[in-house]
Amino acid sequence: MRSPVARYTVVRPKGLAHALGAMHDSLADGRLVPLAGGTDVFVYLNAGTPPGTRYLDLGGLRELRGIRAGARSVTLGARTTFREIRDSELLRRRLPSLAAAAAEVGAWQIQNRATIAGNIANASPAGDSLPVLLAHDAIVHVRSVRGPRAVAFADLYTGYRALALEPDELIVAVEIPSAPAGARAFFRKVGTRRAQSISKVVFAGLLGRGRDGRVNHVRLAFGSVAPVTIRAREAEAALLGAAPSAAAAAAARDGVARDLAPIDDIRSSREYRLAVAANVLGQFLASAHASYTAGRAEVQQG
Ligand SMILES: Cc1cc2nc3c(=O)[nH]c(=O)nc-3n(C[C@H](O)[C@H](O)[C@H](O)COP(=O)(O)OP(=O)(O)OC[C@H]3O[C@@H](n4cnc5c(N)ncnc54)[C@H](O)[C@@H]3O)c2cc1C
C-alpha cells in the first residue's frame, strides 16, 4: 500500500553545516533519511515500505553541486545528476565510461533527477555507475559534524546494501582519479531490452599497455553478478603482464567464472549472467586491442 505523505516530515537545511548538525541530532530520536533526487526513496514510499518517517532534503545544498576538473582527478558533487554527467563535455572526454553509464540510467526523466551519490548510497548491486567508480579507483568524500573523511570506493560496501558509513555521515563528493595515460576505458550494460531496464550484467573495464605491448594496468568491474559490485581479480591477474593473445583472453574469461557469484533471480539465471559477463569481457578486450592497433585513443563503448 502507498505511504500517506502526510505522515512524513521533511527538514530543509540552510546549508551543509546545518544539514550535518541535523543528521547528527536526529540519531537521538529517529535518523533523518537523506533525500536527493528521490528516484529510489519514492519507490519505497510508493510501495509502502518507507525507509523512515523524517527526511533531510539535500535539494538546496549548493555545496553538493558542481563538476570540478583537477590535474589528476575529476570531482563530482554528490548532487550531480546523471543528466549533468551525460551532457558534460569534460566527462565525455576524461571519463567516457561514466558518461556512457549515465546515458543508460533509466529514462531522461530519471536522469534529470537521479544523483551520483543516490546511486552510491542506494547500494544496489545493479547500480549502473558503480562498476565505473570501482574500475577507476574512485574515492568517496563524506562529512559529518566530526569533519571530512575519504573512503576508497573499493572499501565502501561491506555486504549486500551495507555501507561503511556512519549513520550521520553524508556523501559530499566523489573523486575519480585520471586513468593511466593511454589506458582504454569501456562500459557495457546488458538488460532485458536495449533501454530502460535493470542490469542483468553491467561492466566497466580499464586497460593500459606498456611500450612493450604488455598489459600494465587492468581493472575489470562487474555489477549484478554478486551481492556487491566487484572486481574480477582472477581475470585481471590473467591479463596483467600478458601480451595480447587469444590465450590470455581465454584465461581471463575462465577467471571471470571463478570471480563472480551471480544468483538465479526473476531477472536472469546464474548461467546466463556468467556467459554474458565472459562475453562482455571478450568484447572489451577485442575493442581495446583494435583501438591500440589502430592508434585510436578510445574504445567503442558497448
Ligand atoms: C524508473 C526507474 C528507473 C531506474 N533505472 C535505473 C538504472 O537504469 N540504473 C541505475 O543504476 N539506477 C536506476 N534507478 C535507480 C535510481 O534512479 C538511482 O539509484 C539514482 O541514482 C538514485 O539517486 P537519487 O538522487 O534519486 O537518490 P534518492 O532516491 O534521493 O536516495 C537514494 C538513497 O541514497 C541516500 N542518499 C542520497 N544522497 C545521499 C548523500 N549525499 N549522502 C548519503 N546518502 C544519500 C538516500 O538516503 C537513499 O537511501 C531507477 C529508478 C527508477 C524509479
Side-chain angles (χ1 to χ4, degrees):
M1 197 178 72
R2 289 185 179 181
S3 313
V5 173
R7 283 202 199 136
Y8 303 110
T9 52
V10 177
V11 174
R12 289 230 162 89
K14 295 186 181 71
L16 183 57
H18 181 196
L20 296 175
M23 282 299 293
H24 181 71
D25 294 347
S26 77
L27 299 187
D29 57 352
R31 177 184 180 259
L32 281 167
V33 178
L35 179 65
T39 60
D40 282 312
V41 167
F42 275 81
V43 171
Y44 295 118
L45 286 171
N46 192 47
T49 54
T53 56
R54 301 173 63 229
Y55 294 85
L56 181 78
D57 182 2
L58 307 179
L61 298 184
R62 278 180 307 196
E63 297 95 325
L64 305 188
R65 292 197 54 77
I67 300 173
R68 293 174 291 281
R72 287 198 289 267
S73 65
V74 175
T75 300
L76 281 65
R79 282 181 54 216
T80 306
T81 64
F82 286 114
R83 164 82 184 267
E84 290 166 330
I85 294 172
R86 187 193 78 196
D87 289 353
S88 161
E89 193 55 48
L90 170 82
L91 292 178
R92 284 212 294 261
R93 190 165 25 86
R94 289 194 38 182
L95 281 165
S97 305
L98 190 63
E104 299 267 353
V105 172
W108 284 12
Q109 293 89 333
I110 295 293
Q111 291 169 19
N112 284 341
R113 291 203 58 84
T115 64
I116 188 83
N119 207 226
I120 294 169
N122 186 52
S124 163
D128 285 324
S129 71
L130 311 184
V132 181
L133 300 178
L134 187 59
H136 283 81
D137 299 324
I139 298 153
V140 178
H141 292 278
V142 303
R143 268 191 103 92
S144 69
V145 290
R146 296 171 297 285
R149 198 163 71 90
V151 184
F153 185 80
D155 298 332
L156 188 65
Y157 300 116
T158 55
Y160 178 67
R161 296 209 162 201
L163 290 106
L165 295 186
E166 297 299 327
D168 61 344
E169 282 180 324
L170 287 178
I171 298 171
V172 292
V174 190
E175 182 180 357
I176 307 169
S178 304
R184 270 45 171 187
F186 182 85
F187 173 82
R188 179 76 202 268
K189 166 175 176 168
V190 178
T192 306
R193 53 185 185 223
R194 186 69 190 85
Q196 294 191 49
S197 60
I198 298 178
S199 294
K200 291 174 181 234
V201 173
V202 54
F203 168 74
L206 197 58
L207 184 141
R209 285 192 196 169
R211 286 179 187 281
D212 59 1
R214 292 177 183 276
V215 174
N216 62 8
H217 183 87
V218 60
R219 296 282 187 276
L220 308 171
F222 286 91
S224 281
V225 291
V228 297
T229 305
I230 58 166
R231 274 173 61 187
R233 302 265 182 182
E234 287 211 27
E236 289 177 0
L239 293 168
L240 195 62
S245 68
R253 289 176 63 116
D254 287 349
V256 157
R258 293 187 294 276
D259 285 318
L260 309 184
I263 54 167
D264 292 312
D265 67 10
I266 50 163
R267 284 199 288 282
S268 208
S269 69
R270 178 179 186 281
E271 284 69 28
Y272 177 83
R273 286 187 159 114
L274 281 176
V276 169
N279 288 345
V280 166
L281 172 60
Q283 188 187 13
F284 169 47
L285 297 178
S287 307
H289 185 57
S291 156
Y292 273 110
T293 305
R296 280 186 274 109
E298 287 100 28
V299 303
Q300 192 185 350
Q301 301 290 327

